[in-house]
Each structure stands twice: as C-alpha cells, then as structure tokens.
Amino acid sequence: MEFHHFAYPHKLSFREADRESRCLGCLDVINGPAYISEAGFGMHKVCAEMPPQIQKDAFHPHPLKFKLLDAIVCDACSRLSVSYICYRCMYCDFNIDFRCAKAIINDENEIEKRDDEDLQRTRTLHFSHPHQLTRCKVSPILTEFEEDFIEEIWTINKLKLNKLKCVACKWELQDTQAFMCLPCRFIIHESCMNDMPMQVQSSLFHPHHILHPRPFFNAGEVRCYACRSKVNGFSFYCNKCDVDLHVSCAKYRTRATKHSCHPHNLLQLGKSIIKRISCRACGRKNCNDSFFSCRKCDFNVHPKCIPLLSSFEHKRHLHPLMLVSPFAEDDSGDYYCDMCETERNPEIHVYYRAECNYIVLDKWQYKQKQME
Ligand SMILES: [Zn+2]
Ligand SMILES: [Zn+2]
Ligand SMILES: [Zn+2]
Ligand SMILES: [Zn+2]
Ligand SMILES: [Zn+2]
Ligand SMILES: [Zn+2]
Ligand SMILES: [Zn+2]
Ligand SMILES: [Zn+2]
C-alpha cells in the first residue's frame, strides 16, 4: 500500500519500521506497522490520515490549514512548541499543534485533558517588552531528542526553543508558565514578571543610582555589569552611567564586606553570578564555592583562599563553627541565619555546626572580632 502525504515529498509505504523512528505528525515513537518512507521517516496511520485542512465550526469559525515546521503557541493547549506539522487559521492569528488537531478530529473530549485549566490563553502588555505577550507553557513534549529529530528532517530552520532563557532570571524554561513574544524570542516566567519591581534602588552592584527598566531589541550585544553575561531584551539600567543589569542580578541578595586583602569593599557572590570567573589566589574556576568580589577591579577570591578563619567560637553557641561552602540544609527555598534570623542567600558561604544543624552568617565572625 503506497501513499503520498501532503507534508512529505517522498513515497510512504505501510509496513514495519526497520529502525526506531518517530511520527512526523505527533512526534511519538512508532510501534508496529505504519507509513514509512525509504529513508525511514514515518507516520502513524491515524496521523497520516489527518487532512491538510480542518474545518470545525464549533472549535474555530475559519478553516485551519496545515503549515510545516513552525514554532507556535497552541490556541488549544497553550503550549509553546515546534512541530513538523501544525495548523494555522487562514484568516486570523489562531494556531493549533498537531496533537490538538488530532484530538479535535478524532475525539472531541481528548482536547480537554490536554487543556490546563489555569492556562487560559491571555495576551497582555508589560513594561518589559514593547509588544503584546502571550501566556504559554514551554512544551515538555519537545525533548532534545525530538528537536534533533526535527532538525534532521528540516535543517534550514533551526528553532532552538529549548535553549530559550527567561530574560529576568536567566534560567531555562521547563514546563513552567511564561509570557512570550514569539517573533522576538522574548520569554519571561510568569512569576518573574509578576515579581518585577518598577525600579531597583540601592542594588549592591550599583548602589548610588536608581536603576530603571529598559526594554530593548536589536540593540546589539548588551552585557550585565554584575555577572558579565549577555542580557536579552530587558535590563535594569542606570542612564547616568550606562550600566545594564539582569533583573535577578539587580535584585541579588548579598552583602559588602571589607577585607585586608583588597582596598575596596568586596561583595559576596554565588555561582549564579560568578560563572567562569577564576580565583585570584588558587586559580580554580567552575567550582561551587562563593567568591569575594570587587567588580571594579575584577578581583575575585574564594573565602577559603584569603586569610579568613576556618572556624571560630561564639559565646552564643557551645561548639566552634566551621567555614563551609555554599550550603542549603533543605530545599525549602527559605534560609536563615540561626544567630540573627535574617534571611541568607544559599549561594554564599556560612559557618556551620553539623551535629546541631546550626548555621550562621559570616558577619558574626567579624562582629565578634570588632567587639573584642
Ligand atoms: Zn503520530
Ligand atoms: Zn480564525
Ligand atoms: Zn524567570
Ligand atoms: Zn516582541
Ligand atoms: Zn547578570
Ligand atoms: Zn549609575
Ligand atoms: Zn581560590
Ligand atoms: Zn577593587
């Protein structure tokens, strides 16, 4: 049984696959007989039988026509994904991914199962970007394997959606709710957008001026003053000094300390800010240790590499407290100093007593010294 599919240039025949392969339509693994090409690409029978055009008035009033390899935010399930085949309205901005199209054609209830209740399609404007943002979820369906697979069949258009990072916090987006401007590849976690201040006052990296939001696009390369890595599309900005910072870097919780090894104040920085920086004393980089850092002079040292007490005793605790690397005692996300109850950044070294699970900020070592 030979077959020509509208989305694939070569003949397909109905048979068992010779090697593991994935369906060009739904991207799931193919088991058993399916439509397979000579090159080994294939489609499930139900997927191959999907029409090139869908008209279901109850679902959408206009005809939806197939489109090859595109990144869309699906209007049925709100997921952002790259598909080999998706369907797009001929008259308005309405798109559905292949899986939802299949559900609409074959089983009208199925679509509800994929429809996240709290993920209604919303468009909104936010001061971080000049265009409308669409609420979406970055599809967990598209694994790296699937992305390679898509590139294998269609190498012209490299849409590295999985590499997209939130403009505010610099983290990759995995199955979290986000807002996106697809043409600009601008994407931001919903939580990062909601938590964003209108301005940042007294950021430790740039303490003397207020930082204001600066949306930009096509601005060439913009580097963050704090972490030195690229800023994509949005920063907090000082227009007096022409300084840009990532949102998360501008808000980074840290403290400044004075130490005899350097004439300026040193900031305590963790690995989300000091990636790929090497220690002035021991030369190591890519470790999980925190740093003491002077951004002006690019002076960076590990706490363990400068004369810093490896342990000290405090009158409010029975045992000596030991200097340890960045430390989170659990994954609660809330960390405090047991001496003064102030919140602490888990990326920064502390003094610690394991058997008492007692953790204190390093300032207690200096404070005690000053009092003596
Ligand atoms: Zn399929
Ligand atoms: Zn329409
Ligand atoms: Zn984020
Ligand atoms: Zn845009
Ligand atoms: Zn930064
Ligand atoms: Zn400034
Ligand atoms: Zn070092
Ligand atoms: Zn300095």
Side-chain angles (χ1 to χ4, degrees):
M1 191 159 51
E2 286 202 339
F3 181 71
H4 269 283
H5 191 268
F6 60 85
Y8 193 69
H10 305 290
K11 261 185 313 196
L12 301 167
S13 52
F14 195 71
R15 60 182 172 89
E16 292 276 344
D18 323 314
R19 59 172 169 112
E20 198 194 84
S21 110
R22 279 177 184 257
C23 174
L24 292 169
C26 67
L27 302 181
D28 281 340
V29 175
I30 292 176
N31 290 311
Y35 287 104
I36 311 285
S37 77
E38 239 163 69
F41 294 118
M43 286 182 100
H44 295 114
K45 190 163 181 296
V46 278
C47 294
E49 284 163 358
M50 283 287 289
Q53 193 169 311
I54 298 171
Q55 175 87 54
K56 280 246 174 174
D57 292 348
F59 180 70
H60 188 76
H62 314 128
L64 306 170
K65 195 167 183 275
F66 84 92
K67 177 137 198 316
L68 293 186
L69 201 88
D70 204 359
I72 59 159
V73 175
C74 175
D75 279 283
C77 70
S78 292
R79 285 190 170 80
L80 165 71
S81 62
V82 180
S83 338
Y84 181 64
I85 306 170
C86 62
Y87 289 86
R88 170 165 286 181
C89 176
M90 295 167 78
Y91 303 106
C92 60
D93 181 21
F94 187 90
N95 304 285
I96 49 174
D97 60 31
F98 190 85
R99 290 179 204 219
C100 286
K102 207 171 112 184
I104 289 158
I105 291 287
N106 295 302
D107 171 9
E108 313 257 345
N109 299 323
E110 182 64 23
I111 194 110
E112 278 161 40
K113 281 184 229 147
R114 294 198 66 207
D115 198 357
D116 251 302
E117 262 173 43
D118 59 345
L119 196 54
Q120 296 305 312
R121 186 178 176 87
T122 332
R123 287 175 214 259
T124 189
L125 276 170
H126 186 256
F127 63 83
S128 59
H129 194 70
H131 314 129
Q132 271 206 328
L133 302 174
T134 303
R135 193 162 185 229
C136 68
K137 216 173 209 184
V138 177
S139 175
I141 294 160
L142 202 75
T143 62
E144 214 158 298
F145 177 83
E146 286 166 336
E147 205 161 321
D148 289 347
F149 166 72
I150 283 179
E151 279 180 17
E152 198 183 324
I153 44 179
W154 201 279
T155 45
I156 309 158
N157 208 342
K158 292 202 172 183
L159 299 158
K160 285 278 181 197
L161 284 191
N162 279 6
K163 305 288 181 312
L164 282 178
K165 295 200 170 94
C166 169
V167 296
C169 70
K170 306 183 284 179
W171 288 98
E172 283 180 19
L173 291 106
Q174 276 158 356
D175 206 18
T176 41
Q177 281 166 20
F179 278 89
M180 167 164 219
C181 175
L182 198 49
C184 298
R185 296 286 185 268
F186 176 97
I187 193 157
I188 182 167
H189 287 115
E190 184 166 11
S191 55
C192 287
M193 192 169 99
N194 292 339
D195 293 345
M196 193 182 289
M198 290 299 291
Q199 59 179 40
V200 175
Q201 239 162 339
S202 58
S203 163
L204 268 173
F205 292 101
H206 198 73
H208 304 302
H209 301 132
I210 294 174
L211 302 170
H212 294 283
R214 177 163 89 111
F216 54 86
F217 57 122
N218 303 330
E221 191 168 277
V222 177
R223 294 257 159 198
C224 171
Y225 178 73
C227 70
R228 306 280 148 92
S229 60
K230 230 180 125 187
V231 186
N232 293 312
F234 181 76
S235 69
F236 274 99
Y237 182 65
C238 173
N239 53 6
K240 293 191 187 78
C241 313
D242 190 27
V243 161
D244 288 278
L245 283 102
H246 287 113
V247 181
S248 59
C249 293
K251 295 196 301 180
Y252 192 76
R253 196 183 268 280
T254 182
R255 290 177 310 115
T257 328
K258 223 164 178 62
H259 191 275
S260 56
C261 70
H262 192 77
H264 308 125
N265 276 346
L266 298 173
L267 295 178
Q268 299 183 2
L269 303 181
K271 65 175 176 202
S272 71
I273 290 211
I274 41 78
K275 263 182 269 170
R276 295 185 299 274
I277 284 175
S278 54
C279 170
R280 193 62 75 95
C282 72
R284 272 191 311 141
K285 50 176 154 183
N286 302 327
C287 57
N288 274 339
D289 256 340
S290 57
F291 275 91
F292 281 119
S293 171
C294 173
R295 302 269 80 187
K296 270 194 227 96
C297 312
D298 244 321
F299 174 90
N300 307 286
V301 279
H302 292 121
K304 284 180 182 147
C305 296
I306 53 173
L308 194 67
L309 291 178
S310 61
S311 71
F312 78 103
E313 288 185 54
H314 195 280
K315 57 177 185 291
R316 279 162 64 184
H317 194 79
L318 222 53
H319 315 109
L321 300 160
M322 319 299 282
L323 177 66
V324 292
S325 294
F327 185 73
E329 65 271 34
D330 52 43
D331 53 12
S332 66
D334 291 320
Y335 307 101
Y336 295 92
C337 168
D338 291 324
M339 197 84 81
C340 60
E341 309 270 295
T342 46
E343 207 176 327
R344 67 181 184 85
N345 180 339
E347 287 197 329
I348 287 169
H349 64 274
V350 282
Y351 284 90
Y352 176 55
R353 190 77 203 179
E355 61 268 43
C356 318
N357 194 26
Y358 195 78
I359 303 163
V360 302
L361 291 170
D362 68 341
K363 71 175 181 189
W364 290 103
Q365 183 237 309
Y366 311 116
K367 282 231 162 105
Q368 178 145 300
K369 240 193 250 163
Q370 285 159 11
M371 283 159 63
E372 278 163 10

